[in-house]
Amino acid sequence: MRWSHLSSREGVVPAAPPLPLALPDATVRTFDTPGFAGMTFYEVRAKSLINRVPGQSRVPFEWTVNPYRGCSHACTYCLAGDTPILLADGSARPLAEIRPGDAVMGTMGAGPHRRYVPTTVLDHWSTSKPAFRVTLSDGTRLVASGDHRFLTDRGWRHVSPAEAHLPALAVGDLMFGVGRFAEPPKESPDYRTGFLCGLVRGDASGGGTAREGDAWVRADGYLDDIPLTEALRWPELPTGDWYRGFLAGAFGAVGHTERLAVVFASDDPAYLDRVTEALSHLGLAARRPVRAGRGSSRRAAAVLDRVETERHLEAALRFRHLTGVSSAPLDASGVGVRSGRSLAVADIEDLGLTLPLFDISTGTGDFIADGVVSHNCFARNTHKYLDLDAGHDFDTKVVVKVNAGELIRRELADPRWSGAPIAMGTNVDVYQRAEGRYRLMPEILAALRDHANPFSILTKGTLILRDLDLLRQAAEVTRVGLAFSVGFVDEEVWRSAEPGTPSPRRRLDAVRRLTDAGFAVNVLMAPILPGLTDGEESLDATVAAIAAAGATGVTPLPLHLRPGAREWYASWIAREHPHLLSRYRELFGKGSYAVRGYQDEITARVRMAARRHGLHRSEAAEARMVAPAEPSRGSVQADQLTLL
């Protein structure tokens, strides 16, 4: 269903951008509850609800019902707009001013193998949320939403999660990163005077290059207000601003970078003494390495004296931020991400305020916020065909078809309707958290019951138990197929790959409740993640847990990467498990599905595990079983399901 099939509710104030133009008058709602913080719900009156699946689709059903577009299972993670974000060139910019396409610094890998890498901003948005202040031992103060995540020695931790099962940040946790960014310089008269002194004296010291570039352009502007004779005097008591400007000018004249080191080269030892003095005053250790060829033939051998900063990322960034130098290339790719006691969490304070907050999504799924590694929103990229953006909108802009109940009754009563089985939950989970508020499913189930129309539901949401009585009533008059999606039971993978969903254990508890109520529940092992959950131990543990929950069948579904979802998942793999990238290229190539050989192998291995754990029965399905278009009882089938 596309936007052309929807109409807006009458008499409602038009919604603000970025709503698609096809929905100018939708009812826009936000809720104060923590679980829906930062989310916007667009209530529309749809023209139809039962949708035909495109003929070219590989899914084993023909008709679907989707009362929601977008999903509230996932979370958003936001920071205050003035939080400085590390750009790929080593400079910093406030989060509110970051834009899609900007090159920022992210990370790849995990644990001791995590490394800094440049990445690209994919999206940028703002919201209003209850704010918390996190203070670190080095004095860093970060204002963030409760669901924001930071990387710590205990893994990714939410500042103050609304859901008890999510890992929470605690005092004493050690964050990862480079530490608090230095305040940028103010272009005061002292800074400008120091800049001119460093640039002109450096140019005269024998190590200067051609008088061109940004430094000389800045100097021309400064000379409009500062006489050159005044600028060239060595001050008796230099200020901090003067030292900052002097180093910026000196770099413009005689500076260059060598990997992480900032190097000043000159024939004038007295000038380099001033450089060393300025670096020391700003807390930057400097050294003057002994150069080969020094002595009377130094100039002939074109060998200059040098002063250089320490060769680590913290020093490289501190120099750039303190001086305002933006022309020093930064090569930080591959530098290890470190932690330390200075990055220990000292305090987490609820500010008691709702503040405007911002977030970005990046190619690596993270970024560096005021010196610490920060997780961005990992949104599923399935909103493009609704003309909403492919990342953040899926999780934060949910379209609710508020007239779903009356629509399905009308369509089921239409003489042209054949009574074909209807599949629900195949695109967006009908039992996502938003269903707890909107309660669309009871009306839909009652209509299907009253018309004795067969249907099936696939869900990760334990909210389905709320409608157990309606499901029982429907099963007395038609075929009802129930399936839960449980791809794995590994808690660590679940927290990383499926944040915001009920845990696998809670889903399996719901399977037990449904089977105890008399339903034959099939479990889709979906998605099975190559290299992460497709090992023999993981497959066996998952099948064993499914069997213990009383499921009547298990259907393995290897990961399917639709266009859009492919890019988001690839960035997650590159960040968290870079060693698997070549494996994914081998399995998926440029397509959406893994190669057939891999699918067949997974099917065979799960079939053997199912036999070991008593899920090999092949009796015909009974009443209340999956409709014909769904997998039959005890089946092991290898169609695909998308993670995203």
Side-chain angles (χ1 to χ4, degrees), residues 339-581:
S339 183
R341 295 307 310 173
S342 64
L343 297 182
V345 177
D347 188 35
I348 304 170
E349 177 186 1
D350 185 346
L351 296 180
L353 300 170
T354 296
L355 298 177
L357 301 173
F358 297 80
D359 197 15
I360 56 176
S361 59
T362 69
T364 59
D366 63 1
F367 54 95
I368 315 303
D370 205 1
V372 296
V373 182
S374 173
H375 203 293
N376 68 210
C377 172
F378 180 55
R380 286 177 289 282
N381 198 3
T382 58
H383 245 22
K384 273 187 174 177
Y385 67 99
L386 292 177
D387 303 327
L388 289 172
D389 80 58
H392 174 69
D393 283 350
F394 182 83
D395 286 328
T396 60
K397 294 180 173 63
V398 178
V399 177
V400 184
K401 302 171 187 175
V402 293
N403 60 334
E406 62 184 79
L407 266 182
I408 195 167
R409 282 194 178 276
R410 186 178 71 204
E411 293 176 352
L412 292 174
D414 191 319
R416 294 170 296 178
W417 175 245
S418 65
I422 292 173
M424 291 180 283
T426 57
N427 182 44
V428 173
D429 200 332
V430 294
Y431 282 107
Q432 59 177 281
R433 287 178 296 162
E435 170 61 18
R437 179 172 291 274
Y438 282 99
R439 301 183 62 86
L440 300 182
M441 285 302 295
E443 293 184 68
I444 293 172
L445 294 176
L448 290 165
R449 174 202 63 194
D450 294 347
H451 288 271
N453 200 102
F455 64 89
S456 63
I457 298 173
L458 167 63
T459 185
K460 295 178 182 177
T462 55
L463 186 60
I464 191 175
L465 297 175
R466 179 200 64 190
D467 296 338
L468 187 54
D469 288 344
L470 277 170
L471 292 169
R472 284 198 189 101
Q473 294 166 18
E476 292 175 357
V477 296
T478 189
R479 289 167 296 173
V480 176
L482 301 181
F484 257 82
S485 170
V486 183
F488 39 81
V489 292
D490 187 305
E491 295 281 316
E492 185 175 348
V493 176
W494 160 65
R495 289 191 182 97
S496 179
E498 296 183 336
T501 64
S503 73
R505 296 297 177 188
R506 288 179 60 202
R507 288 180 239 169
L508 290 171
D509 288 344
V511 170
R512 168 56 66 189
R513 290 274 305 278
L514 291 168
T515 56
D516 288 347
F519 287 92
V521 182
N522 191 63
V523 172
L524 278 69
M525 276 183 66
I528 296 172
L529 308 179
L532 297 176
T533 63
D534 62 349
E536 199 64 39
E537 183 177 346
S538 176
L539 292 178
D540 190 76
T542 304
V543 172
I546 291 169
T552 56
V554 58
T555 303
L557 299 177
L559 177 66
H560 164 210
L561 294 173
R562 293 192 294 251
R566 179 189 183 95
E567 290 76 18
W568 283 97
Y569 185 77
S571 71
W572 181 76
I573 283 291
R575 181 180 73 254
E576 301 292 342
H577 307 283
H579 62 286
L580 293 177
L581 284 173

Side-chain angles (χ1 to χ4, degrees), residues 185-199 201 226 230-250 271 273-275 277-279 281-282 322-323:
K186 297 179 175 62
E187 290 200 9
S188 64
D190 278 357
Y191 177 89
R192 297 182 180 195
T193 302
F195 183 92
L196 289 169
C197 184
L199 181 69
R201 283 187 176 274
I226 301 170
E230 177 184 333
L232 293 180
R233 296 193 193 105
W234 294 115
E236 293 183 9
L237 294 173
T239 64
D241 281 357
W242 188 92
Y243 280 127
R244 291 185 183 212
F246 177 77
L247 287 174
Y271 179 77
D273 286 343
R274 292 285 184 167
V275 171
E277 176 188 329
L279 290 170
H281 180 86
L282 297 178
L322 284 170
T323 64

Side-chain angles (χ1 to χ4, degrees), residues 582-599:
S582 60
R583 175 64 170 151
Y584 277 81
R585 294 189 189 101
E586 176 185 339
L587 285 176
F588 289 91
K590 296 182 178 180
S592 298
Y593 294 86
V595 295
R596 176 54 62 181
Y598 176 80
Q599 297 181 49

